[in-house]
Amino acid sequence: MSNSIRIHGFPLSGHSHRVELLANLAGIAHEVITVDLAAGAHKEEPFLSLNPAGQVPVIEDGDTVIADSNAILVYLARKYAPSFLPTDPVLEAEVQKFLSLAAGEIAFGPAAARLINVFNAPFDAEFCAATAATVFGKIEAHMEGREFLVGTEPTIADIAIYSYSAHAPEGGISLEAYPNLRRLLANIEGLKGFKAMPVTKVGLAA
């Protein structure tokens, strides 16, 4: 495994999962190293030397260390999986738009709602649900007549929004009203090399 990417993450982290998902879909050799968040391993050495912010995921690619899941997606796509990040400036801008969506409304909506149920996070459930409805409505409208978010092939845009959207029911957020979004999720799940994130039996997934 000496020539493989080392992915430091946590199985129930959607941020970690999106990095593992790209690595699997793109056939990037990698080793997954579990960081014991429950024991606080992310807040102490040696992890803090990798990421002083104390957050997963982090990757090591030889001497290169990169934190932040979306930054990692861009790095891995540029270096190892160029088909997942188009070079056409218009399409690349579209991808970046969805990376921002993943870091914004997805994070504060379905991801945060899930954190309430899975990790007892002290967030406002009504705000999370309203934010989730807004962002899922945007994706639903965008996906009309499309198979993937950008262009005709999967990109890191799809990967960035997948994990927390697919697991929204764990936060009590139903996907029933969003057939286009559910079709997108199914298209991603049908890709060769797809790896699922473990389901937590809470919320609507209980």
Side-chain angles (χ1 to χ4, degrees):
M1 301 293 288
S2 60
N3 294 323
S4 66
I5 302 294
R6 292 163 59 88
I7 302 173
H8 300 263
F10 184 70
L12 297 183
S13 162
H15 289 80
S16 296
H17 178 255
R18 64 177 62 148
V19 173
E20 287 188 49
L21 180 56
L22 175 60
N24 274 272
L25 292 177
I28 302 170
H30 65 282
E31 173 187 3
V32 177
I33 300 165
T34 298
V35 180
D36 191 347
L37 301 191
H42 57 308
K43 299 297 184 182
E44 59 190 28
E45 296 296 349
F47 185 81
L48 287 177
S49 292
L50 293 174
N51 183 12
Q55 297 175 330
V56 294
V58 176
I59 67 164
E60 294 179 90
D61 183 11
D63 294 331
T64 299
V65 177
I66 299 178
D68 183 89
S69 61
N70 285 348
I72 293 170
L73 292 183
V74 171
Y75 172 84
L76 292 179
R78 278 275 183 253
K79 187 170 182 180
Y80 297 106
S83 68
F84 283 87
L85 182 55
T87 56
D88 175 87
V90 174
L91 294 181
E92 184 175 9
E94 281 286 295
V95 169
Q96 293 293 342
K97 180 181 74 175
F98 285 106
L99 294 185
S100 295
L101 200 73
E105 290 171 280
I106 292 286
F108 296 118
R114 177 178 173 272
L115 288 175
I116 295 172
N117 287 346
V118 178
F119 297 109
N120 297 312
F123 299 138
D124 184 331
E126 289 188 10
F127 173 82
C128 295
T131 304
T134 297
V135 70
F136 285 166
K138 290 179 181 179
I139 296 173
E140 179 69 16
H142 176 81
M143 282 300 298
E144 188 67 37
R146 299 172 181 264
E147 296 302 310
F148 295 101
L149 287 172
V150 179
T152 59
E153 300 294 330
T155 67
I156 58 174
D158 304 293
I159 294 170
I161 69 95
Y162 173 80
S163 306
Y164 289 121
S165 298
H167 288 257
E170 295 173 17
I173 309 297
S174 174
L175 299 178
E176 187 64 29
Y178 312 106
N180 290 337
L181 171 59
R182 287 187 279 112
R183 179 169 47 81
L184 170 63
L185 300 178
N187 288 344
I188 297 169
E189 290 160 3
L191 295 173
K192 181 180 179 182
F194 173 80
K195 177 181 180 179
M197 184 168 78
V199 173
T200 304
K201 299 294 186 179
V202 295
L204 300 179

